[in-house]
Amino acid sequence: MTQLGKVFNKIPYLVRDIDNPYKDITYIENIINILFEQYNINIENLVNIFSNNRDNLLHFHIVIKTNMSKENLSFKYKKEDIEFTFEEYKESKTKTKYINSFMFIETFKHLNENSLVTVFDEMIGCNGKKLFISVPKENLKLFQPSSKHYYYRNILILKKDVICDIADSFNINTNELYDNLHPNIIKQVCKDLHLTYKKLSFELGYKPDTINKAASTGKISEQLNKAIELYLENLRLKEELKDFDLIKQALQNVVV
C-alpha cells in the first residue's frame, strides 16, 4: 500500500498499486461525502481509505469507528459503478500496535525513506497512541559516536518533519519520542561516554563550575550545546579514521 495523501486533510488515503490508474483525493472526498450523507455517518469516524484499483469495478475499503453492514454497498457516480466494503476499527492493543508499526514502515518504504525504515525497525516502537524508543535504557547510547543509536538519533532529528507528518495522519503522538531524544545533554554524554563533569569540561575547554551548573539546572546555552555536538562529531570522525587505518593496514599486509 502507498499513501498518496490525506483525505479531508487528515485521513490516510492508500492505494494498492500506484502503477495502475487511481482516483485523486478530490474525487475520493466527493464520493465519501455522498456515501456518509446517505448513511448519516460522521466524517470524524473515518480512519483509513484503501483503493483496490486492480479490480475492474472501482472499489474502496473503508476502516471506520462505527458498526457498518457487512454487505458491500454500491452506487453510481459520474457514470462509474463504485463499491464499498467496511471494516470496523477496533482498538485492541495487539491489532493497533501491529497496524501502526506496519503502516509507518510501509509508508517510509514507499517514500524511499530507507534510513527511517531501518531506524524504526531497530529502535522505535508504537503502541497505537504514541511513538517511543523501544531499546532498554541500559542499552541505549544516544551520545556514543561509535553506537548505531547515535547515528539513528541524528536521522530522527533530521527527518522530524517527515515523521511528524505521517504520525499526525495516523493520530500518533511524537512528543515523548522527541523529548527522550533531547535529554540533559551533559548528563547523558557523561553517562554514555563514562566521563566525569570535570573531564568533559577539560575536553570542551569550559570551566568545571560552568559544566556542573548547566548539568544541575538543565539550562544549557546554545553555545555550550554546539560545543558538545562538535566534540561528539570529532569523536565520530576519529572512529572512522581508526577504521580506515585498520583497513589500510590489512590491505598492506595482504599485498606484502
Side-chain angles (χ1 to χ4, degrees), residues 138-162:
E138 61 270 20
N139 298 331
L140 190 64
K141 303 294 182 183
L142 291 176
F143 295 97
Q144 187 181 89
S146 60
S147 167
K148 62 184 179 181
H149 300 146
Y150 175 82
Y151 172 65
Y152 292 162
R153 175 180 181 268
N154 289 339
I155 291 174
L156 290 167
I157 292 172
L158 180 66
K159 301 284 187 176
K160 182 177 179 180
D161 288 346
V162 176

Side-chain angles (χ1 to χ4, degrees), residues 116-155:
L116 287 176
V117 172
T118 301
V119 173
F120 268 65
D121 188 47
E122 290 275 346
M123 66 175 285
I124 302 299
C126 178
N127 62 7
K129 295 181 179 179
K130 64 183 180 181
L131 294 179
F132 57 88
I133 298 174
S134 59
V135 178
K137 287 186 177 180
E138 61 270 20
N139 298 331
L140 190 64
K141 303 294 182 183
L142 291 176
F143 295 97
Q144 187 181 89
S146 60
S147 167
K148 62 184 179 181
H149 300 146
Y150 175 82
Y151 172 65
Y152 292 162
R153 175 180 181 268
N154 289 339
I155 291 174

Side-chain angles (χ1 to χ4, degrees), residues 9-250:
N9 295 321
K10 62 180 180 179
I11 309 301
Y13 168 43
L14 301 113
V15 173
R16 190 166 76 174
D17 186 354
I18 60 173
D19 292 329
N20 284 331
Y22 55 85
K23 299 301 182 182
D24 61 30
I25 287 178
T26 302
Y27 185 99
I28 301 301
E29 289 181 342
N30 288 337
I31 62 170
I32 293 298
N33 273 323
I34 294 172
L35 178 70
F36 280 28
E37 285 175 6
Q38 286 184 2
Y39 291 92
N40 197 26
I41 303 171
N42 191 331
I43 292 292
E44 295 301 316
N45 286 327
L46 186 58
V47 178
N48 282 324
I49 299 174
F50 299 88
S51 175
N52 207 10
N53 57 7
R54 286 179 184 165
D55 300 335
N56 293 327
L57 180 67
L58 190 57
H59 173 267
F60 295 95
H61 183 71
I62 297 176
V63 181
I64 191 168
K65 295 178 183 176
T66 185
N67 188 27
M68 289 292 298
S69 170
K70 292 185 179 179
E71 296 181 0
N72 296 356
L73 299 177
S74 61
F75 63 74
K76 192 179 290 288
Y77 178 73
K78 292 186 177 181
K79 298 183 179 181
E80 289 188 289
D81 291 318
I82 305 173
E83 183 181 72
F84 300 91
T85 54
F86 298 88
E87 174 186 346
E88 184 179 355
Y89 179 74
K90 295 181 180 179
E91 297 192 29
S92 96
K93 290 184 178 179
T94 304
K95 183 179 179 183
T96 302
K97 182 176 179 180
Y98 170 76
I99 290 176
N100 281 298
S101 298
F102 172 78
M103 291 306 302
F104 270 101
I105 291 176
E106 286 302 303
T107 302
F108 292 143
K109 285 179 180 178
H110 290 299
L111 292 175
N112 291 321
E113 294 285 359
N114 296 322
S115 60
L116 287 176
V117 172
T118 301
V119 173
F120 268 65
D121 188 47
E122 290 275 346
M123 66 175 285
I124 302 299
C126 178
N127 62 7
K129 295 181 179 179
K130 64 183 180 181
L131 294 179
F132 57 88
I133 298 174
S134 59
V135 178
K137 287 186 177 180
E138 61 270 20
N139 298 331
L140 190 64
K141 303 294 182 183
L142 291 176
F143 295 97
Q144 187 181 89
S146 60
S147 167
K148 62 184 179 181
H149 300 146
Y150 175 82
Y151 172 65
Y152 292 162
R153 175 180 181 268
N154 289 339
I155 291 174
L156 290 167
I157 292 172
L158 180 66
K159 301 284 187 176
K160 182 177 179 180
D161 288 346
V162 176
I163 295 167
C164 289
D165 183 57
I166 294 170
D168 182 60
S169 71
F170 295 141
N171 198 27
I172 300 295
N173 191 285
T174 60
N175 292 339
E176 179 180 312
L177 171 61
Y178 281 95
D179 285 346
N180 289 333
L181 291 175
H182 293 89
N184 184 312
I185 191 170
I186 294 176
K187 289 184 177 181
Q188 198 63 43
V189 165
C190 288
K191 176 180 176 295
D192 289 352
L193 300 183
H194 306 292
L195 298 175
T196 62
Y197 291 165
K198 184 176 181 180
K199 176 63 175 175
L200 180 62
S201 67
F202 174 77
E203 295 290 342
L204 299 177
Y206 276 75
K207 294 180 180 179
D209 287 348
T210 301
I211 298 300
N212 288 337
K213 184 177 180 180
S216 61
T217 63
K219 295 179 180 179
I220 300 169
S221 68
E222 185 177 343
Q223 183 179 10
L224 176 53
N225 191 79
K226 189 66 176 177
I228 295 173
E229 289 179 352
L230 289 173
Y231 169 65
L232 294 174
E233 187 62 14
N234 186 48
L235 290 179
R236 185 188 69 80
L237 292 172
K238 284 182 178 179
E239 287 290 333
E240 284 189 358
L241 184 60
K242 185 189 299 183
D243 292 340
F244 175 77
D245 287 340
L246 288 173
I247 294 172
K248 183 179 178 181
Q249 186 60 51

